[in-house]
Amino acid sequence: MTGHLMLLDTASLYFRAYFGVPDSVKAPDGTPVNAVRGLLDFIDRLVKDHRPERLVACMDADWRPQWRVDLIPTYKAHRVAEEHEGVPDEEEVPDTLSPQVPVIEAVLDALGIARVGVAGYEADDVIGTFTARADGPVDIVTGDRDLYQLVDDERGIRVLYPLKGVGTLQLTDEAVLREKYGVDGRGYADLALLRGDPSDGLPGVPGIGEKTAAKLLAEFGDLAGIMAAVDDPRAKLTPSQRKRLTESRPYVAVAPTVVRVAGDVPLPDVDTVLPRGPRDPAGLEALAARWGLGGSLQRLLTTLGA
């Protein structure tokens, strides 16, 4: 995939749209469509401001993959609304957001914007695999800092992190990561698993917060170097750090597989070129009328055709 590729962490963006656009934005029948219209406005602004040649809306086909839960059972456990046997657990989502997700999917499909989710994987993994395969610059649009691990100046990979809507984005490159966290993209996953992340149910290593994790990574290079230092009595670790890292070996052994995004997801063959016009004009017109998508859709269509 050559050319400027933009990858959307779609759920992250429609959650932000849902909470950022009033629920008074409704379809003709009174159904809230704030997440739908907000996401269309986001995409319009992103395309207008950054002019990607390719665009993929990456989806969570499985927001809590079993292979991650098998390694760390607490992974996203606090966000489970209902457990299911043999199929993905149901995530706790606001009542008026869930019905909007199929509408979002239908509108993206009618527009002709590539939409990719792969069974058994999160959107992060889909993003990681598209990034690994890209031959040109990549902009990853997400409100999830986990994807900072993909930032790579040499390959032109950066994260556009929304600070307010998508009008104000933090353009995250390695300089930003070093300033904020003391690591580059490659080191961010190690930093995250050491400090833990309550929002994802990752316990981390007790007593090792973000600053300590960054200092250890600066001293020993990476997670493997830190764990090698635990066994080296000459290494500059405090007694408490050595003790806590020793006790956390079982967690440290499996956490990298959980925290690092996959780069080998079996992606479907899709056309990622940004469409100039809708793939299904009649279907899109029907969706626009049914859900009252109005100016949000028209502005995006104008931007795509420009």
Side-chain angles (χ1 to χ4, degrees), residues 190-267:
D190 288 347
L191 177 85
L193 72 86
L194 285 166
R195 74 164 183 227
D197 187 347
S199 68
D200 279 343
L202 296 173
V205 176
I208 295 184
E210 191 165 276
K211 290 184 179 179
T212 302
K215 287 179 181 177
L216 291 173
L217 289 167
E219 177 74 23
F220 302 109
D222 56 17
L223 184 65
I226 292 171
M227 298 312 292
V230 173
D231 297 323
D232 181 356
R234 298 166 298 174
K236 295 178 181 178
L237 289 170
T238 68
S240 63
Q241 287 170 352
R242 197 180 299 274
K243 180 176 182 291
R244 285 166 172 161
L245 285 163
T246 298
E247 292 172 347
S248 297
R249 279 189 190 278
Y251 165 74
V252 172
V254 298
T257 303
V258 176
V259 173
R260 290 173 186 150
V261 301
D264 56 355
V265 173
L267 299 175

Side-chain angles (χ1 to χ4, degrees), residues 11-252:
S12 169
L13 296 179
Y14 66 59
F15 263 94
R16 281 180 176 254
Y18 176 81
F19 288 107
V21 178
D23 59 10
S24 57
V25 176
K26 296 181 177 180
D29 67 357
T31 304
V33 288
N34 50 331
V36 183
R37 292 192 58 162
L39 180 65
L40 292 175
D41 287 335
F42 281 1
I43 296 173
D44 172 58
R45 183 64 182 267
L46 289 164
V47 172
K48 199 175 291 179
D49 289 352
H50 300 282
R51 293 294 172 186
E53 295 162 78
R54 298 176 179 275
L55 179 70
V56 184
C58 302
M59 312 297 290
D60 282 319
D62 189 342
W63 67 279
R64 188 176 182 250
Q66 190 60 44
W67 55 270
R68 283 192 165 105
V69 176
D70 288 343
L71 295 172
I72 299 181
T74 57
Y75 183 67
K76 295 186 178 180
H78 61 294
R79 287 155 56 180
V80 175
E82 189 173 338
E83 293 185 358
H84 298 289
E85 188 70 33
V87 295
D89 293 332
E90 192 172 322
E91 185 177 12
E92 191 172 349
V93 176
D95 290 345
T96 55
L97 174 56
S98 295
Q100 297 188 57
V101 177
V103 181
I104 288 168
E105 294 174 344
V107 172
L108 292 174
D109 291 349
L111 280 166
I113 291 175
R115 181 173 64 84
V116 179
V118 178
Y121 294 96
E122 300 176 56
D124 287 9
D125 302 311
V126 174
I127 289 170
T129 304
F130 270 113
T131 300
R133 295 184 183 182
D135 289 330
V138 181
D139 281 340
I140 299 163
V141 189
T142 180
D144 184 353
R145 293 185 300 171
D146 292 345
L147 289 167
Y148 285 170
Q149 63 185 274
L150 296 175
V151 169
D152 186 334
D153 286 358
E154 188 175 338
R155 294 190 57 215
I157 300 165
R158 61 184 185 170
V159 167
L160 309 186
Y161 184 88
L163 299 174
K164 186 177 182 183
V166 291
T168 305
L169 295 169
Q170 174 184 282
L171 304 184
T172 311
D173 58 11
E174 290 184 7
V176 171
L177 292 182
R178 281 191 290 268
E179 180 184 348
K180 282 180 171 283
Y181 305 104
V183 297
D184 57 13
R186 190 173 301 177
Y188 189 84
D190 288 347
L191 177 85
L193 72 86
L194 285 166
R195 74 164 183 227
D197 187 347
S199 68
D200 279 343
L202 296 173
V205 176
I208 295 184
E210 191 165 276
K211 290 184 179 179
T212 302
K215 287 179 181 177
L216 291 173
L217 289 167
E219 177 74 23
F220 302 109
D222 56 17
L223 184 65
I226 292 171
M227 298 312 292
V230 173
D231 297 323
D232 181 356
R234 298 166 298 174
K236 295 178 181 178
L237 289 170
T238 68
S240 63
Q241 287 170 352
R242 197 180 299 274
K243 180 176 182 291
R244 285 166 172 161
L245 285 163
T246 298
E247 292 172 347
S248 297
R249 279 189 190 278
Y251 165 74
V252 172

